Amino acid sequence: MKSLITTTALVALLATAGAAQAQTLRWASQGDPQTMDPHSQNESMTNMMNGQVYEKLVMRDRQLNIVPSLATEWQQTGPLTWRFKLRPNVKFHDGSPLTADDVVFSIKRGQELTSQVNVYANAVGTPVAIDPLTVEFRMDKVNPVFLQHIDALWIMNKAWAEKNRVTKPLDFKNKEETYASRNANGTGPFMLVNRQPGTKTTYKRNPAWWGKFDGNVQEIVYTQISNDATRLAALVSGEIDFVLDPPLQDVAR
């Protein structure tokens, strides 16, 4: 839930920044994403940042209800089966079309042992492509919170992962580095431009996004500033626009 709330807060922040005529949103926090691999780590900052690039079949609205995202509709066709219709004409950032094969690949990738979301991916069963825009999930036992588990699973491009040899989530525990550590190819509203771990991460707006933007933020620049005093000084001086975690004693200031 912490991850969900933080992501929702960032979405609201982007809308507010846009309303204030900001073209570039510059923000900071003491932490930093652990990896750009969306299945490797299930950690709040990592999920929040990857959530600008990658999307799921469903998402949460501002009241935290589950609503359509990469899937436009779904239904439970039996006690152990769910069927999803994918949104047509969705493109990954490299221009590749979203298909059912990408969904099947992503769910199976999330089920790998090096994935920290495998408990959710395994709970949704076996994904099967029915046609290019239809995916069915077949389970071996009833899952009463199936949609909540689907809401934890990012969708990647199969061809991109194969091309860059990242068909399995990187083994973060053993300090593995892969192409997915610092690169990304999602369908989301922002595209990863540059990743400098521990320093700065930059995104730009995805002009081909299927959704509707709130506001006019064109670029996001995130800077990790571990020291509380330095982070606050950057905010006060105007170097950044927003601090996620100001020291409690300085909130009034």
Side-chain angles (χ1 to χ4, degrees):
M1 181 59 72
K2 178 182 178 183
S3 167
L4 172 62
I5 293 171
T6 308
T7 305
T8 305
L10 183 56
V11 171
L13 172 64
L14 294 179
T16 303
Q21 304 303 310
Q23 295 291 319
T24 298
L25 173 66
R26 306 162 303 165
W27 69 290
S29 177
Q30 64 180 329
D32 198 48
Q34 295 177 334
T35 176
M36 296 292 100
D37 188 320
H39 298 137
S40 175
Q41 294 296 288
N42 184 22
E43 183 267 337
S44 58
M45 172 66 77
T46 303
N47 288 339
M48 176 172 60
M49 301 288 274
N50 284 335
Q52 308 310 309
V53 173
Y54 290 102
E55 296 178 295
K56 307 163 187 173
L57 294 180
V58 300
M59 63 181 178
R60 301 276 181 169
D61 64 15
R62 295 190 180 187
Q63 288 71 48
L64 303 185
N65 299 308
I66 291 179
V67 296
S69 180
L70 294 180
T72 56
E73 58 182 284
W74 52 86
Q75 61 176 329
Q76 188 172 11
T77 54
L80 301 177
T81 55
W82 286 76
R83 185 167 288 196
F84 285 72
K85 288 290 185 180
L86 302 184
R87 189 177 299 277
N89 303 315
V90 173
K91 303 287 187 182
F92 286 94
H93 296 163
D94 66 357
S96 303
L98 169 71
T99 70
D101 286 340
D102 297 307
V103 176
V104 171
F105 164 76
S106 298
I107 301 304
K108 290 184 176 179
R109 188 179 191 270
Q111 293 172 345
E112 293 284 351
L113 293 177
T114 51
S115 166
Q116 278 202 357
V117 296
N118 56 20
V119 64
Y120 310 122
N122 286 321
V124 301
T126 301
V128 178
I130 304 301
D131 62 44
L133 292 178
T134 307
V135 179
E136 184 171 270
F137 292 86
R138 301 170 181 174
M139 299 175 288
D140 58 6
K141 59 183 177 181
V142 173
N143 180 356
V145 289
F146 175 88
L147 290 176
Q148 282 73 20
H149 288 149
I150 283 290
D151 186 41
L153 302 172
W154 309 103
I155 304 303
M156 297 180 70
N157 178 241
K158 178 182 179 182
W160 179 85
E162 291 175 340
K163 175 184 176 182
N164 295 293
R165 301 180 180 179
V166 290
T167 55
K168 294 184 179 181
L170 65 86
D171 187 348
F172 186 84
K173 183 177 67 174
N174 290 314
K175 301 181 180 180
E176 182 183 16
E177 282 277 334
T178 70
Y179 189 77
S181 301
R182 305 189 187 197
N183 297 275
N185 180 38
T187 58
F190 287 89
M191 307 165 69
L192 180 65
V193 174
N194 186 35
R195 167 69 176 152
Q196 301 175 47
T199 304
K200 185 173 293 185
T201 304
T202 305
Y203 302 86
K204 67 177 180 180
R205 179 183 283 202
N206 174 17
W209 186 45
W210 59 267
K212 180 181 179 181
F213 284 97
D214 288 327
N216 67 347
V217 172
Q218 301 293 326
E219 180 185 42
I220 304 171
V221 179
Y222 172 75
T223 304
Q224 181 187 13
I225 306 178
S226 300
N227 182 271
D228 287 349
T230 304
R231 197 163 62 252
L232 183 64
L235 177 65
V236 172
S237 69
E239 179 182 343
I240 57 176
D241 306 306
F242 174 76
V243 164
L244 181 64
D245 44 8
L248 291 179
Q249 66 271 19
D250 292 315
V251 168
R253 180 184 174 196

